[in-house]
């Protein structure tokens, strides 16, 4: 309604294309990392001498960064689950509401679109508002309030699950890739390289998203959730054992994983 059909369709195509390219690039990188891990030369090096101190530092640093992304993906899943759902009758739905689930607030549609704010008086299409439109009536922050159940499921499948799957696989394949490094120089460079895979999404977002849309995303209204003492206690326990869990996982990547193919790999760093 506010952006016009043309502007809305272009933005939807651009958004899903950007997400698809991001997933495709990360998948290609991860597949190549997996192939490198399966090479015979890499397997043989696992059984050789290794600077375990530097290796542990690199793997732990990498896993801490990837686990942070996994935690963000889980938080996004929880956000979608907790987001309030609102059913709109077919007579009130527009093209935007069908595609996005209709952002509403307090029983009314949000005063603005994905690109433009609402103007008064209304113009016929997006080009009139861009060229001849009057000042904005008032900017309202983006919100998840009022999305439909169908759109929530669609977002969960297309956004949350792929990110969770990719980061989970990256935590294993990337750690194994670092452990296959030939020397100290390769160890540091490989750590930086697999961390780059973790940042592909942010790089493309920063490169191909306008500053205005970035600001709208940053200022989007959050989902209010009542935090009970039980939830506070569980979150505190998670924060306490979270570093320990990363350390144990890194230990498995560095020492236990090579034991699957090497019989003389030391169990402890001396």
């Amino acid at each position: 309604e506010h952006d016009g059909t043309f502007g809305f369709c272009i933005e939807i195509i651009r958004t899903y294309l950007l997400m698809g390219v991001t997933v495709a690039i990360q998948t290609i990188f991860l597949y190549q990392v997996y192939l490198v891990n399966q090479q015979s030369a890499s397997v043989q090096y696992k059984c050789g001498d290794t600077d375990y101190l530097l290796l542990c530092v690199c793997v732990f640093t990498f896993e801490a960064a990837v686990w942070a992304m996994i935690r963000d993906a889980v938080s996004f899943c929880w956000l979608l689950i907790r987001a309030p759902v609102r059913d709109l009758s077919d007579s009130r739905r527009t093209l935007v509401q069908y595609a996005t689930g209709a952002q509403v607030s307090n029983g009314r549609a949000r005063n603005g679109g994905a690109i433009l704010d609402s103007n008064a008086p209304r113009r016929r299409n997006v080009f009139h508002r861009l060229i001849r439109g009057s000042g904005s009536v008032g900017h309202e922050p983006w919100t998840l309030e009022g999305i439909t159940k169908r759109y929530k499921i669609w977002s969960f499948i297309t956004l949350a699950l792929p990110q969770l799957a990719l980061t989970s696989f990256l935590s294993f394949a990337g750690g194994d890739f670092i452990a296959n490094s030939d020397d100290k120089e390769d160890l540091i460079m490989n750590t930086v390289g697999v961390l780059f895979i973790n940042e592909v999404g942010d790089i493309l977002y920063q490169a191909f998203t306008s500053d205005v849309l970035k600001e709208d995303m940053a200022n989007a209204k959050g989902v209010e959730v009542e935090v009970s003492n039980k939830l506070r206690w569980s979150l505190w326990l998670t924060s306490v054992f979270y570093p320990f869990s990363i350390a144990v996982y890194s230990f498995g990547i560095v020492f236990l994983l090579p034991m699957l193919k090497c019989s003389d790999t030391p169990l402890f760093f001396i």
Side-chain angles (χ1 to χ4, degrees):
E1 178 183 356
H2 302 285
D3 299 330
T5 302
F6 176 79
F8 166 74
C9 292
I10 293 298
E11 179 61 20
I12 287 293
I13 294 174
R14 187 196 71 85
T15 300
Y16 281 104
L17 182 62
L18 181 60
M19 292 188 300
V21 170
T22 300
V23 173
I25 292 176
Q26 289 181 316
T27 302
I28 292 173
F29 275 130
L30 284 175
Y31 179 68
Q32 295 301 320
V33 168
Y34 173 78
L35 292 180
V36 171
N37 290 340
Q38 301 305 312
Q39 292 178 358
S40 58
S42 299
V43 174
Q44 291 175 2
Y45 179 72
K46 289 181 181 179
C47 306
D49 295 333
T50 304
D51 187 344
Y52 284 101
L53 178 59
L54 181 60
L55 178 58
C56 289
V57 171
C58 291
V59 172
F60 180 81
T61 302
F62 166 74
E63 296 298 345
V66 176
W67 278 43
M69 294 295 294
I70 295 176
R71 185 171 57 181
D72 290 342
V74 173
S75 298
F76 182 63
C77 294
W78 178 250
L79 176 67
L80 289 176
I81 294 174
R82 300 291 297 185
V85 176
R86 182 182 181 89
D87 293 327
L88 298 176
S89 62
D90 290 342
S91 60
R92 295 177 55 195
R93 288 189 178 184
T94 64
L95 174 62
V96 177
Q97 292 170 338
Y98 271 115
T100 64
Q103 291 189 353
V104 297
S105 178
N106 298 326
R108 63 176 180 82
R110 176 181 172 272
N111 186 24
I115 305 174
L116 303 176
D117 283 334
S118 177
N119 288 331
R122 291 184 179 179
R123 303 296 180 181
R124 288 178 297 175
N125 54 45
V126 63
F127 297 107
H128 281 79
R129 286 194 293 274
L130 285 173
I131 299 174
R132 301 175 54 192
S134 60
S136 175
V137 172
H139 179 74
E140 294 185 14
W142 289 1
T143 176
L144 288 177
E145 295 179 0
I147 64 174
T148 62
K149 185 177 181 180
R150 179 181 301 178
Y151 185 71
K152 180 186 290 190
I153 296 175
W154 170 255
S155 299
F156 192 85
I157 295 175
T158 59
L159 298 178
L161 289 184
Q163 186 64 25
L164 184 60
L166 287 173
T167 50
S168 298
F169 183 72
L170 177 61
S171 68
F172 175 79
D176 193 23
F177 181 75
I178 295 174
N180 292 334
S181 303
D182 294 332
D183 50 41
K184 293 182 179 180
E185 181 180 357
D186 287 342
L187 188 58
I188 296 175
M189 294 302 298
N190 288 344
T191 303
V192 176
V194 288
L195 282 173
F196 166 76
I197 301 177
N198 197 38
E199 301 295 331
V200 168
D202 290 337
I203 293 174
L204 296 182
Y205 172 75
Q206 295 295 332
F208 301 118
T209 304
S210 67
D211 293 336
V212 175
L213 291 182
K214 293 176 187 176
E215 183 178 358
D216 286 336
M217 289 290 294
N219 297 326
K221 183 179 178 181
V223 176
E224 297 182 0
V225 179
E226 182 179 354
V227 181
S228 62
N229 286 334
K230 182 178 180 180
L231 180 59
R232 293 178 185 273
W233 176 254
S234 62
L235 291 175
W236 179 81
L237 287 179
T238 302
S239 65
V240 171
F241 290 101
Y242 181 73
F244 177 75
S245 301
I246 297 178
V248 172
Y249 187 81
S250 301
F251 179 87
I253 293 292
V254 174
F255 296 104
L256 301 183
L257 186 60
M259 291 182 60
L260 298 177
K261 299 179 181 179
C262 304
S263 59
D264 57 348
T265 301
L267 288 179
F268 299 96
F269 167 71
I270 301 178

